[in-house]
Amino acid sequence: ISASAVMSSGNSENAAVGVLVDAARTAGDFKHNIKAYFDYGESDNVTSQKRWGAAYKLDYNFGERTYAYGRLAYDEDDFSGFDYRLFAGAGLGHYFAKSDEFSWKIEGGPGYRYSPIDDTRELDNQFALYAASELDWLIREGVTFEQDFNTTWTSPTTSFQSITALTTEVWDGVSTGISFEYRYETDPPLGREKTDTIARASLIYGF
C-alpha cells in the first residue's frame, strides 16, 4: 500500500494526492493479483484531476516460469475524454528471468475493450490485444528498481503506459519511493492531448 504526492502534466496540470494498493496471493498453481489506484487533485477549489481504477488477474502456473492468465480491468479518468474503460481478456505469460535479485516477465493475449466517449456518448466496443512487461531488480539490500510497461491495441486507438520506479526501504516493511508514469494515446477523443505524465514521491508499506 502506498500514499503519494503527484505532479502531473498533459490533460490535467496540478498537484494531487494518490493511493495505490498492489496485492498477490498464491494458492497452489493459482496466483491472485489485485491492483487498485486513486488520484485526486484540485486547483483553485476546482477538481483538476480525478482518476481511479482496479484490476484483477488470475494466473495458472504450468511450471516454474510459464503461466496462463485471465484479466479484468476498469479505469476511469475525468480528463481523458473517455467516460470509462473496461477490459477483459486472457493470454499467456513467461518469466525470462526469475530469481530473488532479478525477474523479468512478458505476458499478452487477446481481449475486448469498452470505451464510452464523454462528449458523444458513443460506445466504442473493440476487439483488443494486450501485452505487458514487468521487470524487478534488487540493486542492493533494500533498494529496488522496477520497470512496468503495457499496451492495449484496438483499431481506433492504441494505449501505452510505462511506469519506472525506485524504492528504498527505510525500516522493516516501510519504504520511500519515486516513480515516473508516462501514458500515450495514439488517437484520443477530440480536444484531448495524446500524452500524460505523472511524477510521484511515495511512502510505501508492505506486509
Side-chain angles (χ1 to χ4, degrees):
I1 300 174
S2 69
S4 61
V6 177
M7 298 297 294
S8 66
S9 64
N11 288 312
S12 57
E13 298 184 6
N14 59 280
V17 294
V19 176
L20 171 69
V21 176
D22 188 352
R25 179 185 177 91
T26 301
D29 292 329
F30 291 93
K31 183 178 180 182
H32 304 270
N33 306 271
I34 297 174
K35 292 185 178 182
Y37 68 90
F38 178 76
D39 291 328
Y40 182 82
E42 289 187 356
S43 179
D44 297 327
N45 295 320
V46 176
T47 300
S48 55
Q49 184 181 44
K50 185 179 179 182
R51 55 187 296 265
W52 67 278
Y56 171 75
K57 186 166 72 78
L58 177 64
D59 299 339
Y60 177 77
N61 296 314
F62 293 121
E64 183 67 22
R65 296 196 176 198
T66 303
Y67 60 93
Y69 73 86
R71 179 175 176 268
L72 181 66
Y74 178 91
D75 295 280
E76 186 172 321
D77 185 341
D78 286 0
F79 295 87
S80 69
F82 296 100
D83 190 24
Y84 65 87
R85 303 187 112 171
L86 178 64
F87 177 89
L92 294 173
H94 182 76
Y95 282 89
F96 291 90
K98 190 176 183 181
S99 69
D100 292 338
E101 292 77 25
F102 184 85
S103 68
W104 176 44
K105 70 177 181 179
I106 292 178
E107 63 185 29
Y112 211 69
R113 183 159 75 172
Y114 299 81
S115 302
I117 298 175
D118 279 339
D119 296 334
T120 63
R121 311 307 301 172
E122 175 186 355
L123 187 61
D124 184 13
N125 303 331
Q126 295 291 335
F127 169 78
L129 291 174
Y130 171 82
S133 168
E134 293 185 15
L135 183 150
D136 296 282
W137 175 27
L138 182 63
I139 300 173
R140 61 178 178 82
E141 187 66 31
V143 181
T144 303
F145 172 82
E146 299 176 53
Q147 174 61 60
D148 296 343
F149 174 83
N150 69 76
T151 180
T152 303
W153 173 90
T154 63
S155 56
T157 183
T158 301
S159 306
F160 299 91
Q161 182 188 44
S162 173
I163 301 176
T164 305
L166 184 68
T167 60
T168 302
E169 188 175 41
V170 290
W171 64 81
D172 189 28
V174 179
S175 303
T176 59
I178 55 173
S179 65
F180 179 77
E181 179 179 354
Y182 175 86
R183 289 182 285 136
Y184 183 82
E185 195 76 29
T186 58
D187 190 15
L190 186 65
R192 305 294 177 171
E193 294 188 21
K194 293 184 177 182
T195 301
D196 282 292
T197 62
I198 301 176
R200 303 178 189 269
S202 305
L203 181 65
I204 305 158
Y205 176 64
F207 57 91

